[in-house]
Amino acid sequence: MTTTTTNLGAGSEDRVMATAQQILKSLNTPKEVREDMLLIFSSFDNRLSNITDLINENSDSAGVRFDAAEKVILQWDSSSSSSNADASRHSLPWEDSPDEAAEYLSAVDEILHLVADMSIRSDNKIMDRAETAIQMAMSRLEDEFRLVLIRNTVPLDSERLYGSIRRVSLSFAANDGEIGDEFESFAEVDSERGCFHERGPSFGDDLCVDLINPDAVMELKEIADRMINAGYEKECVQAYSNVRRDALDECLVILGVEKLSIEEVQKIEWKALDEKMKKWIQAVKITVRVLLNGEKRLCDQIFNGSNSIKEICFNETGKGCVMQLLNFGEAVAIGKRSSEKLFRILDMYDVLADALLEFEMMFTDEYMCTEAKGVLAGLGDAAKGTFLEFENAVKNEASKKPMQNGEIHPLTRYVMNYVKLLVDYSETLNSLLENDEDEADGLKSEDGELETMTPFAKRLLLLISSLESNLEEKSKLYEDGALHCIFLMNNNLYIVQKVKDSELRKLLGDNWVRKRRGSIRQYATSYLRTCWTKALHCLKDEGIGGSSNNASKVALKERFKSFNACFEDIYRIQTGWKVPDPQLREELRISISEKVIPAYRSFMGRFGSQLESGRHAGKYIKYTPEDLENYLLDLFEGSPLVLHHMRRKST
């Protein structure tokens, strides 16, 4: 065969040899076959006459490079270290020997490059050594990856986090009255004694914390890149997620969230459970806004070369702490219902609803999102069920001991302060009650008001109607009809004031307030008629024997004695009655004065002179109109006054 020679000008030989080198690299065939093929090619072009030297040179170069890289890897492997120096070198922390670490990573890169470049694939012996070296290197890198993660984990600064949380606190005092057990935790807002409901802890400024020392992130990324390039991404993800999962678990411990089974949660007494629910609410916010966001950012930095690995790593890392939080939420949702739990459950529902939006954006694991939705639905059902049970408890509360002085019943205080708090959750309760309006259908519709009311407003209307009906029944426990009216006036006014002075007014409307004020005026009229009719009857002309000039002194004496007795009896009793509202108290006194004082003054003007000239006149005409007016100022103060106080006062 004749060798063909071509003359393509200067540099053509270099270009041909370069092409030959590329062919050499690209041929994935045994060494002997490649040499035979390239020798055949050289017979066609004399510029390839040195092809054998090229083959040998390339093979020798790859072998030298591999030997050097393998040596570095073996030096860092404790099982193969043959000298004390090597053993000492192996024990050095990765971060404390940056030059050696860089050399090691370069050696790993070299072997991976040689294997990928197929320069040594024709030599089975070298390939076996390469695979062994890669396995050895990956084991070492996995250990270093784990150690760097552990050493550089930044402890959670809970004081800083809690310092950035704003709290809205509403206080309620314990109840002093006779009332059922389910109404023992809330009463008057302005009492010195009480417990606190902290509504919706929320972050001020957005927080961003370092979960890993920033200086170590690049080292972690360099290790992760090598492990992924070598096909060891599974081991890398597992090492990362194990360490970070433990770190997140530790964060929950710092935040006060314990690992508890559903059975353990349900056995906890309310006060202790309330504290755990508060910590859970804070922990969910911190976990979502700070920890998981930080973890997501960290995964993006370390594994930014692969979206799938980033997702897997984040899902595996965050799953543990999220499931721990969800398990507690589930335990609360299926636990025993009681009225005092409602606000905490609503807080838990709200915070988890917000967190669910974040979960769906952060997690690609559908199981996680499905579990969160399930717990959220359970908390919603628990909140709605607790609210409906509270309605039934108000309707059926059957304490039989009347308030002795006609004052505001503890049930009234409890319920109205309770519903004032509920207004803060109007939006949540509207969504929960939206498709559950059967009970509200029993309300009477007036002027089409119900049609424009929200579901929550209708339930409030029903709840307050139940309270009013219960109070009406409790008023029947009073044998004194006047005290019956005072009791209803006090309690209905308290209800109206709580509605009028809060956001409840927007829900129930001004018309509702006007109607209840009208009811209070009717009770006042009934009080005057029931209480003062007998006293006023003593001041009438009938039955005293004609005109003022010839009226029977005996009859007059009896009238004055009867009036005095009636007035003193009312005074003695009703100074012990209580009307807490100063405006209502003053209005009642004015109404009494307008009824009694003019009638007494007129009766005295017509008949008093017939007794004043006789003996013992003071025995019958004991009081002037001014005296009576002064005595009326003592009514409804809640401090019973003995009869001698009246006599002393009149003198």
Side-chain angles (χ1 to χ4, degrees), residues 282-296:
Q282 293 172 347
V284 170
K285 281 186 173 274
I286 291 172
T287 298
V288 174
R289 294 281 302 278
V290 178
L291 300 180
L292 291 180
N293 265 329
E295 203 63 56
K296 185 79 170 174

Side-chain angles (χ1 to χ4, degrees), residues 241-298:
S241 57
N242 285 345
V243 173
R244 292 305 306 157
R245 189 161 50 234
D246 290 345
L248 292 180
D249 287 345
E250 182 63 28
C251 289
L252 290 186
V253 173
I254 293 171
L255 295 174
V257 179
E258 305 171 57
K259 279 189 176 180
L260 298 169
S261 67
I262 290 177
E263 293 76 15
E264 288 173 325
V265 172
Q266 293 180 347
K267 291 177 182 177
I268 300 172
E269 293 295 326
W270 163 240
K271 287 185 178 179
L273 180 61
D274 183 46
E275 286 301 313
K276 293 185 186 301
M277 292 167 80
K278 283 195 291 186
K279 289 178 179 178
W280 185 91
I281 291 163
Q282 293 172 347
V284 170
K285 281 186 173 274
I286 291 172
T287 298
V288 174
R289 294 281 302 278
V290 178
L291 300 180
L292 291 180
N293 265 329
E295 203 63 56
K296 185 79 170 174
R297 187 168 57 251
L298 193 59

Side-chain angles (χ1 to χ4, degrees), residues 19-31 33-38 41 55 117-122:
T19 303
Q21 284 183 311
Q22 289 299 111
I23 294 172
L24 182 66
K25 291 179 180 180
S26 63
L27 289 174
N28 187 18
T29 55
K31 180 179 179 183
V33 176
R34 287 208 315 272
E35 290 177 354
D36 290 342
M37 292 178 65
L38 290 172
F41 291 156
I55 293 171
D117 203 30
M118 302 180 187
S119 298
I120 60 173
R121 284 182 178 268
S122 61

